[in-house]
Amino acid sequence: GAAADAAGGAAPAGYGPCACLGYALYAPLYLAGPVHRFDDFADDARRAAPPRDRAVASYALRTLAVGAWLEAALRRAPVFALAASGAHASLGAADAAAFAFVFVNVLWLKFAFVWRLFRTWARADGVDAPENMPRFVCDTFLISGFWRAWHASFHAWLSRYVYGPLRGDVATASPERAAAAAAAAFLFAALWHDARPKLIAWGCANAVFLAAERKAGLARRARAVAAAP
């Protein structure tokens, strides 16, 4: 099989240099698309079935609707301009909290529109990249749930290649080891964005809040509330 071919020195089908180069430079994902694993990309490239035109068209229309909401929101509340100008620094506590709430909502619309636009392009080409913003920001009530649904493909990559190996077996990992693994994952995410002190502080704060959330058992309580009749 493929493992035997790899052991014998032959690359498995779909794993040659051309496939790797095509994956690295595939425009819909290279420019601004979701993080798509190479194995999944290779499977999509080998799939003979054409993309479902109706499903792609429906997704494209919903993506345009997100773009329309983004345009309307920015015309009503130009939060990015306010943030860039520093005008929000003079707001009182209540107004600053309201500004932060609106800013995060508009930021969700911005990222959702950009990522879904490029995902639409990929889907039209037969590559089913993962959805990066599967839930609206106001539909997540925990820090852990928020990050599972915000840049979800990057979260899955971090869980697979950073958090998971450092945490070890979920059944035997201590809370302290899980917290340390989460801190390392957030530090990696901060450095991946930009090596600036405020982003490192952001990563540390998220790790502390996530550890407190787990210590309080909020995720377990949230599941119990969701399952209640």
Side-chain angles (χ1 to χ4, degrees):
D5 292 340
Y15 283 76
C18 291
C20 292
L21 187 62
Y23 169 73
L25 299 179
Y26 184 64
L29 304 181
Y30 175 78
L31 295 175
V35 180
H36 199 32
R37 295 193 312 146
F38 177 78
D39 287 349
D40 296 331
F41 177 82
D43 288 342
D44 290 337
R46 287 194 296 264
R47 189 181 299 122
R52 295 171 297 170
D53 294 338
R54 185 171 298 179
V56 173
S58 173
Y59 188 81
L61 289 174
R62 286 181 281 134
T63 299
L64 291 177
V66 172
W69 274 111
L70 173 63
E71 180 65 20
L74 286 174
R75 288 181 178 274
R76 181 69 177 175
V79 291
F80 300 136
L82 290 172
S85 68
H88 64 290
S90 61
L91 297 175
D95 290 337
F99 172 80
F101 176 77
V102 175
F103 183 91
V104 170
N105 278 265
V106 177
L107 190 64
W108 186 95
L109 286 171
K110 171 190 170 182
F111 284 143
F113 176 63
V114 171
W115 280 324
R116 290 182 181 184
L117 188 66
F118 282 88
R119 184 172 185 250
T120 300
W121 183 5
R123 291 187 70 185
D125 193 41
V127 175
D128 192 14
E131 176 63 72
N132 255 347
M133 305 294 251
R135 297 181 68 176
F136 185 53
V137 64
C138 291
D139 193 31
T140 53
F141 308 101
L142 298 171
I143 294 175
S144 55
F146 175 87
W147 288 118
R148 287 191 187 98
W150 187 286
H151 203 170
S153 64
F154 185 49
H155 174 274
W157 187 92
L158 283 173
S159 297
R160 183 182 181 93
Y161 296 109
V162 180
Y163 175 74
L166 292 175
R167 180 205 58 199
D169 193 315
V170 64
T172 59
S174 65
E176 293 77 13
R177 181 166 180 174
F186 274 114
L187 178 60
F188 182 94
L191 295 175
W192 178 80
H193 282 86
D194 196 0
R196 289 188 290 171
K198 70 176 184 179
L199 281 174
I200 295 175
W202 164 87
C204 293
N206 271 283
V208 170
F209 293 146
L210 182 60
E213 177 183 283
R214 288 175 171 171
K215 183 71 174 177
L218 295 182
R220 183 173 60 255
R221 296 179 188 179
R223 287 194 294 268
V225 170

